[in-house]
Amino acid sequence: MDSRILVVDDAPANIQVLSATLKEKGYQVSVATGGRQALELVSRLRPDLILLDVMMPEMDGFETCRRLKASETTNDIPVIFLTGRAETADIVKGFELGAVDYVAKPFNAHELLARVNTHLTMDRLHRENERLLLSILPAAIAARLKSGEAGIADHFPEASVLFADIVDFTTLSGGMPPEPLVSLLNDLFTQFDELARHHHVEKIKTIGDCYMAVCGVPEKRTDHPTALADMALEMIESLHQFNLTRGTSLRIRIGLNTGPVVAGV
């Protein structure tokens, strides 16, 4: 395992036991002896999970967790409280502050490891789902969907759309095996994706040999026609370099249009 776990505890004996238990299972372990040190380490190391004691000098675990969850850069790190404070009110407070679990001391090593593994797995799956969602939708739209908004349909009075397709692709595809054909399209469209990112253009989708992108949606821009025209010219140059590298003679047609659009999910 290459997951990094930050142990936050001011008791040397607890740190020793926890570090040994976690390292035995292959986890990377970092240690902080207080809340302030933990916040500083989190900003540098970006651990995958935090085991957090409550009763510590200067800044207790509850305040540490509150600050972690208040920051956009750290609020998604799973926090498990590991503490001797096992009153119901403390447990409720821990969950209200955003912790994913609450384990009372003294703890059972097998149980703790099972909980750590479960929350790391859940976090990994969440990040994979997030990555897949963002590969399909713009970040702003994905955030609206996750917040519960349904039936998104926005009107944009001015936006620009680009379509590009490979000339005589049907004839080309008929004479190529599937794997080299898909590899060729993937390599070419990956270059177009880089151009889209460079020009802050939103790639919508590919349909066979057709590439569709839009500018001015979902973020409004006054320079949307210019940005797409610049991208189109660079796509032509990119294809020229692609042909020289791959020994191909592909040609593309590119169409642009500007006007009002409705964009929705």
Side-chain angles (χ1 to χ4, degrees), residues 102-147:
Y102 199 105
V103 180
K105 295 177 182 175
F107 61 89
N108 178 281
H110 295 294
E111 179 186 350
L112 177 64
L113 288 171
R115 290 173 184 259
V116 165
N117 181 64
T118 295
H119 291 296
L120 284 172
T121 301
M122 291 173 62
D123 184 63
R124 183 170 60 253
L125 291 173
H126 170 75
R127 292 179 189 277
E128 289 176 358
N129 289 338
E130 186 86 357
R131 179 181 57 80
L132 288 171
L133 184 62
L134 292 177
S135 72
I136 299 170
L137 296 170
I141 300 302
R144 289 169 64 181
L145 287 173
K146 289 192 296 181
S147 69

Side-chain angles (χ1 to χ4, degrees), residues 192 231-241 252 254:
F192 291 170
M231 177 177 166
L233 292 172
E234 291 187 24
M235 289 171 71
I236 295 171
E237 176 60 26
S238 177
L239 179 63
H240 175 68
Q241 295 299 323
I252 55 172
I254 302 176

Side-chain angles (χ1 to χ4, degrees), residues 25-255:
K25 292 299 181 181
Y27 295 111
Q28 298 180 51
V29 179
S30 298
V31 174
T33 56
R36 296 189 188 281
Q37 185 186 14
L39 294 175
E40 190 271 331
L41 282 175
V42 167
S43 66
R44 288 194 294 108
L45 299 176
R46 195 59 171 71
D48 299 293
L49 185 140
I50 300 172
L51 292 176
L52 182 60
D53 189 19
V54 171
M55 295 179 288
M56 296 181 294
E58 294 187 20
M59 183 188 297
D60 68 14
F62 289 141
E63 176 61 18
T64 304
C65 185
R66 187 192 68 77
R67 296 194 185 192
L68 288 169
K69 297 304 176 181
S71 170
E72 290 186 2
T73 60
T74 60
N75 61 12
D76 60 339
I77 301 175
V79 174
I80 298 177
F81 277 111
L82 183 60
T83 175
R85 294 179 60 166
E87 299 294 328
T88 300
D90 293 324
I91 297 173
V92 171
K93 183 176 182 179
F95 283 118
E96 288 177 343
L97 287 170
V100 296
D101 213 337
Y102 199 105
V103 180
K105 295 177 182 175
F107 61 89
N108 178 281
H110 295 294
E111 179 186 350
L112 177 64
L113 288 171
R115 290 173 184 259
V116 165
N117 181 64
T118 295
H119 291 296
L120 284 172
T121 301
M122 291 173 62
D123 184 63
R124 183 170 60 253
L125 291 173
H126 170 75
R127 292 179 189 277
E128 289 176 358
N129 289 338
E130 186 86 357
R131 179 181 57 80
L132 288 171
L133 184 62
L134 292 177
S135 72
I136 299 170
L137 296 170
I141 300 302
R144 289 169 64 181
L145 287 173
K146 289 192 296 181
S147 69
E149 186 175 352
I152 295 174
D154 297 330
H155 177 261
F156 295 84
E158 282 290 330
S160 294
V161 179
L162 174 150
F163 278 98
D165 76 327
I166 298 174
V167 178
D168 295 329
F169 178 74
T170 302
T171 303
L172 171 70
S173 62
M176 288 184 68
E179 289 186 5
L181 179 64
V182 171
S183 175
L184 181 143
L185 285 176
N186 182 66
D187 291 347
L188 179 60
F189 287 168
T190 296
Q191 293 186 24
F192 291 170
D193 288 346
E194 290 296 329
L195 292 176
R197 278 190 285 271
H198 174 72
H199 290 281
H200 303 289
V201 168
E202 192 66 46
K203 178 253 193 93
I204 300 300
K205 61 181 175 179
T206 57
I207 315 162
D209 67 316
C210 181
Y211 189 96
M212 178 184 179
V214 64
C215 192
V217 176
E219 303 297 331
K220 295 181 180 179
R221 289 176 57 177
T222 57
D223 65 339
H224 53 86
T226 306
L228 268 190
D230 288 342
M231 177 177 166
L233 292 172
E234 291 187 24
M235 289 171 71
I236 295 171
E237 176 60 26
S238 177
L239 179 63
H240 175 68
Q241 295 299 323
F242 182 88
N243 282 331
L244 291 177
T245 302
R246 297 286 294 258
T248 53
S249 55
L250 301 177
R251 293 180 296 134
I252 55 172
R253 291 180 289 241
I254 302 176

